Amino acid sequence: MQQTADVAVLGAGMVGVSAALHLQARGRDVVLVDRHGAAGLETSFGNAGLIERASIFPYLFPRDFGDLLRYALNLSPQAHYHFSALPSVAPWLWRYFRESSPERAKRHALDALPLVERCLEEHDALIQLSGAGDIVRRTGWIKLYRSEKSLAKGIVDAARLRDFSLRVEELDAAGLSALEPDIAPVVGAVHFRDTASVADPCAVAQAYAELFQRRGGRFLAGDVRALAQTRDGHWSAPTHDGALIVRDVVVALGPWSDQIFRPLGYELPFAVKRGYHMHYGTEEGARLFHPVLDADNGYVLAPMTRGVRLTTGAEFASRDAKPTPVQVDKDEILARTLFPLGERLDPKPWMGCRPCFPDMLPIIGKAPRHQGLWFDFGHQHHGFTLGPVSGRLLAEMMTGETPFTDPAPYAVDRFR
């Protein structure tokens, strides 16, 4: 049976659900389409649960020779790669290295700033409307430093954030113990107080999707890789309930977005960073009150509804290659010296993929060669953080409103 709508949003992660809500709020008849028929079950499921208001400066390619050597030899817990993936990922890594130069990184940070500055307030609006406030914490997050060298760099980075009116507090041993009494002593720490966190990222995405449906939005299951443009310029997306015919289509498929844009002729420098998580119990009644990053080793421990979630750094591999969760094993050994983790609670590590462009900025806006085709993907490590604010910007562009910020930095044609 054929169905029609104004807009189909492809992908029901945080980015797609948020775009659907913002378009719906502006009077568009929107259908959300996801292969699972449920929200938040892929990339939005496995993050550290941060709404990272302090993420102004992007994740950069390392330039320290010692770090590069450890990465090259697969010795660092912060990153891992498959040798078989090098021929395909090496050109992207080289471009990532170039875009991480001090001059370019500063420009990219300024381009990301309008999104980052509004990320929490856009989430707050949806949190209030969806009733998800009971799983949101307003206590910030903490970066821990095990060496004087890493602490010195962390303090410098923290000082840069204060220029953006962010509340950043350096912690000595006593200050850290007051906030996290069960964390082992470290050299120092920095508390980012403006960041919010959630106890279940998937539940937040699902609460937003339920809000969308309560407002009359339709949610269909379907494999949208067969998306096609009709002779009259509309778009046809297959679903389990028949073909969906729409005027506009939004590609918000995260790490699977290339399965749409490449067949349509768009060659973009797109890659994925894979990552893993595992949940743990705690020993001796220990509690963790904030998400904490072991800055020297690149993993995060975050208190979740299910237990303490350990999330790893990046793995460079084919998106669809067999999981190789070696970072979980390495990080667990390190994490047990920091916090009294108990037994593993999951039968196996979860794996997800982060969609990335080399400048660490998303694509948000119109596809230049196809009428009615819109892109909203590539949010790297911050899809959960930036979903609502990206959705607002995209909806403003699609409905003819004046965008709250210049969308040019996020345009498709910046990669020409």
Side-chain angles (χ1 to χ4, degrees), residues 107-129:
R107 184 173 71 248
H108 300 328
L110 293 176
D111 287 339
L113 184 60
L115 301 180
V116 176
E117 284 183 325
R118 292 166 177 80
C119 69
L120 187 52
E121 65 184 72
E122 294 297 337
H123 260 289
D124 279 340
L126 298 183
I127 287 167
Q128 182 177 2
L129 291 168

Side-chain angles (χ1 to χ4, degrees), residues 48-348:
L50 298 175
I51 304 173
E52 183 38 318
R53 173 63 183 83
S55 63
I56 292 170
F57 298 100
Y59 288 94
L60 301 178
F61 195 100
R63 291 177 122 69
D64 179 85
F65 178 77
D67 289 339
L68 290 172
L69 182 61
R70 285 190 291 274
Y71 294 143
L73 298 175
N74 257 345
L75 297 177
S76 173
Q78 298 190 27
H80 181 258
Y81 69 91
H82 290 186
F83 287 99
S84 60
L86 280 180
S88 60
V89 77
W92 186 90
L93 287 173
W94 170 243
R95 191 159 183 177
Y96 182 24
F97 175 80
R98 292 174 56 204
E99 296 296 337
S100 295
S101 69
E103 180 181 348
R104 293 188 184 188
K106 180 179 179 180
R107 184 173 71 248
H108 300 328
L110 293 176
D111 287 339
L113 184 60
L115 301 180
V116 176
E117 284 183 325
R118 292 166 177 80
C119 69
L120 187 52
E121 65 184 72
E122 294 297 337
H123 260 289
D124 279 340
L126 298 183
I127 287 167
Q128 182 177 2
L129 291 168
S130 66
D134 58 337
I135 54 177
V136 180
R137 298 177 293 249
R138 310 285 175 166
T139 54
W141 77 307
I142 299 172
K143 288 186 180 181
L144 309 176
Y145 299 93
R146 294 179 182 247
S147 70
E148 294 291 349
K149 179 182 177 181
S150 63
L151 176 61
K153 182 180 183 303
I155 290 173
V156 171
D157 291 342
R160 295 166 69 196
L161 290 174
R162 292 192 184 98
D163 293 338
F164 298 92
S165 301
L166 291 168
R167 298 174 298 160
V168 184
E169 181 180 357
E170 297 167 26
L171 301 174
D172 58 14
L176 176 61
S177 181
L179 293 176
E180 291 290 351
D182 293 311
I183 289 284
V186 293
V187 172
V190 175
H191 184 198
F192 300 85
R193 297 175 60 191
D194 296 283
T195 293
S197 63
V198 303
D200 188 338
C202 178
V204 175
Q206 291 179 346
Y208 292 1
E210 289 167 5
L211 172 64
F212 169 75
Q213 291 177 289
R214 288 198 303 271
R215 290 177 161 181
R218 287 173 282 167
F219 196 157
L220 301 178
D223 183 351
V224 296
R225 288 177 295 180
L227 177 76
Q229 195 166 28
T230 64
R231 290 183 178 180
D232 62 359
H234 286 63
W235 293 90
S236 175
T239 78
H240 294 172
D241 297 307
L244 174 65
I245 307 299
V246 295
R247 183 178 62 196
D248 293 313
V249 63
V250 176
V251 180
L253 291 166
W256 294 276
S257 297
D258 62 329
Q259 295 180 339
I260 299 295
F261 70 72
R262 286 200 171 112
L264 292 173
Y266 294 91
E267 291 299 326
L268 303 173
F270 183 78
V272 299
K273 296 181 184 180
R274 306 203 312 181
Y276 300 84
H277 81 226
M278 171 59 69
H279 291 98
Y280 299 84
T282 62
E283 294 183 350
E284 302 172 358
R287 293 186 63 190
L288 188 67
F289 296 95
H290 305 73
V292 295
L293 167 70
D294 183 344
D296 294 70
N297 296 297
Y299 65 86
V300 174
L301 295 177
M304 294 284 176
T305 302
R306 181 164 170 75
V308 175
R309 177 182 289 185
L310 184 155
T311 62
T312 71
E315 180 181 64
F316 295 94
S318 171
R319 178 190 56 217
D320 302 318
K322 181 180 178 181
T324 51
V326 295
Q327 289 166 287
V328 173
D329 298 330
K330 291 180 179 180
D331 291 342
E332 181 180 320
I333 294 171
L334 295 164
R336 290 187 183 280
T337 69
L338 191 68
F339 182 82
L341 293 175
E343 294 183 355
R344 290 187 173 190
L345 301 179
D346 302 324
K348 63 180 180 179

